[in-house]
Amino acid sequence: MAKTTKVPTALVAATGLVGGYAVARWSRNRQLGGTVLAVAGTVAAQRWHEQAGVTAAGALTVAYVAAFAGSHPLAKKVGAWPAVFGVAGAVALASWAVADRHETLR
């Protein structure tokens, strides 16, 4: 049987933040963008729990929500896309360090 590989949680979380913003902007439907953000966040949180435990999953979920909220005031200073990419990168790095790094070492 072939070994299946999972998409890293860092990619799931970053895609949720970037994809949620992109969908909301291009569709002009904030609720649809929010749905993308929420679905990706839920998938990432479940995987964080599996890979790193309850405490880490809680901390990374807080970071994900804080990144979303923090991107709004940051966008006023640096622009929307740079803000979204910046917070997505920060969450992806945290996710890799806390959850994904341990999976790649197995």
Side-chain angles (χ1 to χ4, degrees):
M1 189 178 286
K3 180 181 177 186
T4 60
T5 58
K6 290 184 178 181
V7 175
T9 60
L11 183 59
V12 174
T15 300
L17 290 160
V18 174
Y21 175 69
V23 167
R25 180 174 178 143
W26 289 320
S27 72
R28 298 181 185 207
N29 185 330
R30 292 177 69 171
Q31 291 80 11
L32 185 58
T35 300
V36 170
L37 178 81
V39 168
T42 300
V43 170
Q46 290 171 340
R47 296 270 311 285
W48 290 327
H49 180 263
E50 292 170 5
Q51 291 176 208
V54 174
T55 303
L60 288 168
T61 300
V62 167
Y64 185 82
V65 173
F68 167 70
S71 68
H72 293 81
L74 183 60
K76 293 179 181 183
K77 297 182 186 294
V78 300
W81 281 111
V84 171
F85 284 127
V87 300
V91 170
L93 181 60
S95 180
W96 176 82
V98 173
D100 295 334
R101 179 173 53 128
H102 303 294
E103 287 295 307
T104 59
L105 297 176
R106 289 185 183 172

